[in-house]
Amino acid sequence: MTQETTKFRIAEVRVTPILISDPPLLNVQGVHQPYTPRTIIEVVTEHGAHGLGETYGDADYVRVAEAFAPDLVGAGLGVNGLYAKVLASAERVQVSDLDNRVYAEGLRGSRTLPKVCHSVVSAFEVAMLDALGHELGLPVHALLGGKVRDRVEYSGYLFYRWAEHPGPGEPSDDWGAALDPAGVVAQAQRFARDYGFTSFKLKGGVFEPAQEVAAIQALHEAFPGQPLRLDPNGAWSVPTSLEVAAALEGIAEYLEDPTSGTANMAEVAKKTSLPLATNMCVTSFDEIPPAFASNAVQVVLSDHHFWGGLRATQDLAAVCRTYGVALSMHSNTHLGISLAAMTHVGATIPDLRYACDTHRPWQTEDVITEPHTFTEGALTVSDGPGLGIELDRDSLAALHRRWLDSDVRGRDDAAAMRRVHPDWVTPQLPRW
Amino acid sequence: MTQETTKFRIAEVRVTPILISDPPLLNVQGVHQPYTPRTIIEVVTEHGAHGLGETYGDADYVRVAEAFAPDLVGAGLGVNGLYAKVLASAERVQVSDLDNRVYAEGLRGSRTLPKVCHSVVSAFEVAMLDALGHELGLPVHALLGGKVRDRVEYSGYLFYRWAEHPGPGEPSDDWGAALDPAGVVAQAQRFARDYGFTSFKLKGGVFEPAQEVAAIQALHEAFPGQPLRLDPNGAWSVPTSLEVAAALEGIAEYLEDPTSGTANMAEVAKKTSLPLATNMCVTSFDEIPPAFASNAVQVVLSDHHFWGGLRATQDLAAVCRTYGVALSMHSNTHLGISLAAMTHVGATIPDLRYACDTHRPWQTEDVITEPHTFTEGALTVSDGPGLGIELDRDSLAALHRRWLDSDVRGRDDAAAMRRVHPDWVTPQLPRW
């Protein structure tokens, strides 16, 4: 595409699929598996500077990442135009069952080859920015135009959950079950005590809406005046969404994906003053114009894994700003590399109005030497070189070994649910 | 706003208003003055790295730049969030006759305090990126995510013009007059010979539309198959615009601002297949949604001086990409600092489909030691540190001296016209 004249050349690229343990968190599709796959990217420059990136680890993401990795050797650290290169690599190796059609629907919205490529780009882009930061002795935020805040706020991500996975020897923790409003409040209280979170999001779509509304109301009583959100992942019909909205006006700061699809979201939005947020019906740039034209969403939950990286997240912020739509940040199960990336880009966006989501407190494993600790519900953005993190090679090797020893190559929350409820099928939406 | 923890601190900021000579180029409002003001910004870091920026030099821009400059001393080189700081500085010094209302209409669209502040930001942002590039030994394009092309194409900017300014001792050149199709073609031929331009833009709105259509047709005969554009700066009514569009379909690649205002542009766009471009009805982010919703423009002509810098230009590119609107680049009278900035940012935008505009060949003066030379209608983007240019201090001093010795503090093409045609008044639009 262009002569590579940059002074920093990539000498080595490593793609390492891993499996990380995950608690039995419930959602509309089922329950989190004991182990979920992630892909870890390392780039190393000729000068020996390292960069780290992280993305989804389902088999198709790994295949595309592995197809692209050799093409990056010898290239510079410029990140513009990466998408076209990743797409070309994916097409060259004939990732034949992936194409432009939607081939999966799920919690990440519809899955297509372009979307998988954007997610793969995100990991390489972050790794390249991290490496460039190490080359220059500059933090990633400085490579993104500079931070406008020193700390990035996160919200406590509450889940209905079981006490433990059903299988023997599967990962466990001491959180216990949370299956009713009291359990949710107890979880929030521990989150507030341990990490100082002052806003909370509850993953819904698990129980009947009345129970989930009661949980939010109980949170509101326990944490009066503090921002609360509920996200049933599109589980509700339009009328149900409106009932919930009516019950939570003045209590919730927004409802996240109450119903599925832009048209339904627009219908709900028309009849409630509660803002609607999404990470399901607006997950790529081409989904923006119809959603904004119909005023279907008032808050877009960015996710650099969806949108193609940190610069793409800034692009998304610009589009949202232009159209008067708020921006916050979505999270999927992730490790410290992505949390560092989220914090750096979050620090650069002037109009980040809501606390960002993160699954991080639920992950007990990591691949970095000093996992982040939330204080007062926020992380201080690192001013050290790159992302400000260091790879824990032993941990990476152990989690990769787990991947090699396992046949888990994707995430299937419905299958995990069937281990306990053999009749479970992924619910048709709307469920309620 | 945030603790400044960056390792590069600004030790000195200089704001230097200058006057540069300008040929008697004609447009709908009148004629270019013999001298036009620009503001040159220099930032110097504690380590002695220099950065250069350039913007409009009308009195209000200079006042805002001078208000902000001292506030920047001691700050780092992060450019995000500059706009809020410039606006605060402008408001603190009570730039009392500037406010949010439109206080001037002209070739740059409507002028408001926010727009003036964005233009001032652009110069400081470019200077800070240039300085950061010098600190790091990296080109500005690398600080913007990296170039995706090595050369940026420009179009030859044709003007109806007089042979000379009317006053004695005023700047002159050897181009001669161009007041009819033959004169326009001759100008294009010299541009093609000297610089290799392969696409041409004619500034119209000067003569009756039939004459300007004839000029484009003559260019089409002289340069068959090469891209041509006509820009009357909103001079025409909707019916006239449609007549011109009908005459130039298949000949022009786009019409630029044929008529004034988003509503009129939308009406024209509805009835022609010729794309419409603008740098008048979409000059800031808040003007985008209504224009895109009504499909009023198919090409936005970015201008980092309007939009608030190079990162804002990338933001604009993202919004345009999202909405399927093309992006190209507008130019106003500028020197080599801005041309370098335009080339760096142009090199980073993957979907820059059209050759960019530049007034540069008309400017015989510059404030850099090695003014750019177009070859094959393009400039090679510099891979040297920063913008890849060096300040010519003698030239800057001389042009500042000219400013000190003159009472020209703005640009008034109508007043310049009245020196020759005393009855001239700025035409009410539409003129035809």
Side-chain angles (χ1 to χ4, degrees), chain A residues 146-370:
Chain A
K147 64 181 181 180
V148 295
R149 61 182 63 82
D150 295 314
R151 285 169 63 78
V152 174
E153 248 192 285
Y154 288 88
S155 71
Y157 202 156
L158 311 175
F159 279 86
Y160 291 110
R161 57 165 290 168
W162 298 333
E164 50 194 15
H165 289 290
E170 291 182 338
S172 64
D173 59 30
D174 62 357
W175 281 85
L179 296 165
D180 54 23
V184 167
V185 169
Q187 203 181 82
Q189 282 163 336
R190 177 164 165 187
F191 262 166
R193 194 175 62 239
D194 291 356
Y195 306 117
F197 291 123
T198 56
S199 73
F200 298 98
K201 163 175 169 172
L202 173 61
K203 174 62 75 183
V206 177
F207 295 107
E208 290 205 355
Q211 211 250 62
E212 300 187 349
V213 166
I216 295 292
Q217 288 166 335
L219 285 168
H220 181 61
E221 273 171 45
F223 301 91
Q226 292 181 217
L228 303 171
R229 316 159 184 176
L230 176 56
D231 169 22
N233 282 121
W236 305 329
S237 67
V238 170
T240 302
S241 301
L242 287 170
E243 277 167 39
V244 173
L248 295 182
E249 269 183 84
I251 293 178
E253 62 175 345
Y254 59 66
L255 274 188
E256 181 176 332
D257 290 307
T259 188
S260 289
T262 295
N264 287 338
M265 289 282 280
E267 215 178 318
V268 174
K270 213 178 297 175
K271 296 176 185 159
T272 177
S273 65
L274 207 56
L276 303 189
T278 187
N279 70 284
M280 292 180 69
C281 71
V282 178
T283 60
S284 61
F285 288 95
D286 58 311
E287 291 171 333
I288 287 177
F292 285 10
S294 60
N295 195 27
V297 300
Q298 290 71 53
V299 185
V300 172
L301 301 171
S302 72
D303 181 324
H304 72 275
H305 308 93
F306 284 5
W307 293 84
L310 304 188
R311 291 185 57 87
T313 302
Q314 294 184 310
D315 284 350
L316 172 63
V319 179
C320 288
R321 191 180 308 128
T322 301
Y323 279 81
V325 172
L327 186 86
S328 184
M329 212 179 279
H330 164 259
S331 152
N332 211 307
T333 302
H334 63 88
L335 296 176
I337 300 172
S338 282
L339 185 56
M342 292 157 67
T343 304
H344 277 273
V345 73
T348 69
I349 296 172
D351 43 359
L352 198 69
R353 291 187 232 165
Y354 297 101
C356 301
D357 289 344
T358 175
H359 281 64
R360 189 63 192 86
W362 294 112
Q363 263 57 63
T364 52
E365 297 174 333
D366 211 329
V367 294
I368 62 175
T369 53
E370 294 182 36

Side-chain angles (χ1 to χ4, degrees), chain B residues 358-382:
Chain B
T358 176
H359 281 64
R360 188 65 192 84
W362 293 111
Q363 262 57 62
T364 51
E365 298 173 333
D366 211 329
V367 294
I368 62 175
T369 53
E370 293 183 33
H372 302 82
T373 308
F374 297 93
T375 56
E376 297 175 11
L379 292 179
T380 299
V381 58
S382 163

Side-chain angles (χ1 to χ4, degrees), chain B residues 280-308:
Chain B
M280 292 180 69
C281 72
V282 179
T283 60
S284 60
F285 287 96
D286 58 311
E287 291 172 333
I288 287 177
F292 286 10
S294 60
N295 195 27
V297 300
Q298 290 71 53
V299 185
V300 171
L301 301 171
S302 72
D303 181 326
H304 72 275
H305 308 94
F306 285 6
W307 294 83

Side-chain angles (χ1 to χ4, degrees), chain B residues 330-412:
Chain B
H330 164 259
S331 152
N332 211 307
T333 303
H334 63 87
L335 295 176
I337 300 171
S338 282
L339 185 56
M342 292 156 67
T343 304
H344 277 272
V345 73
T348 68
I349 296 172
D351 43 359
L352 197 68
R353 291 187 230 164
Y354 297 100
C356 300
D357 289 343
T358 176
H359 281 64
R360 188 65 192 84
W362 293 111
Q363 262 57 62
T364 51
E365 298 173 333
D366 211 329
V367 294
I368 62 175
T369 53
E370 293 183 33
H372 302 82
T373 308
F374 297 93
T375 56
E376 297 175 11
L379 292 179
T380 299
V381 58
S382 163
D383 289 319
L387 293 169
I389 56 173
E390 203 184 317
L391 184 63
D392 181 335
R393 297 212 165 271
D394 294 340
S395 173
L396 181 70
L399 300 179
H400 179 55
R401 169 56 51 194
R402 183 191 282 157
W403 183 86
L404 289 170
D405 293 343
S406 161
D407 59 0
V408 172
R409 291 295 180 266
R411 186 176 144 187
D412 187 339

Side-chain angles (χ1 to χ4, degrees), chain A residues 1-8 77-81 132 136-138 141-150 285-286 288-290 292-293 311 314-316 318-319 321-323 348-350 383, chain B residues 1-8 77-81 132 136-138 141-150 285-286 288-290 292-293 311 314-316 318-319 321-323 348-350 383:
Chain A
M1 189 176 264
T2 173
Q3 277 174 259
E4 289 290 351
T5 49
T6 162
K7 53 204 250 194
F8 308 118
L77 291 176
V79 297
N80 291 328
L132 184 58
L136 302 173
L138 282 186
H141 67 74
L143 303 176
L144 299 172
K147 64 181 181 180
V148 295
R149 61 182 63 82
D150 295 314
F285 288 95
D286 58 311
I288 287 177
F292 285 10
R311 291 185 57 87
Q314 294 184 310
D315 284 350
L316 172 63
V319 179
R321 191 180 308 128
T322 301
Y323 279 81
T348 69
I349 296 172
D383 289 318
Chain B
M1 189 175 260
T2 171
Q3 276 175 261
E4 289 290 349
T5 48
T6 161
K7 53 204 249 195
F8 307 119
L77 291 175
V79 297
N80 291 329
L132 184 58
L136 301 172
L138 281 186
H141 67 74
L143 303 177
L144 299 171
K147 65 181 181 179
V148 296
R149 61 182 63 82
D150 294 314
F285 287 96
D286 58 311
I288 287 177
F292 286 10
R311 291 185 59 89
Q314 293 184 311
D315 284 350
L316 172 62
V319 178
R321 190 181 307 126
T322 301
Y323 279 80
T348 68
I349 296 172
D383 289 319

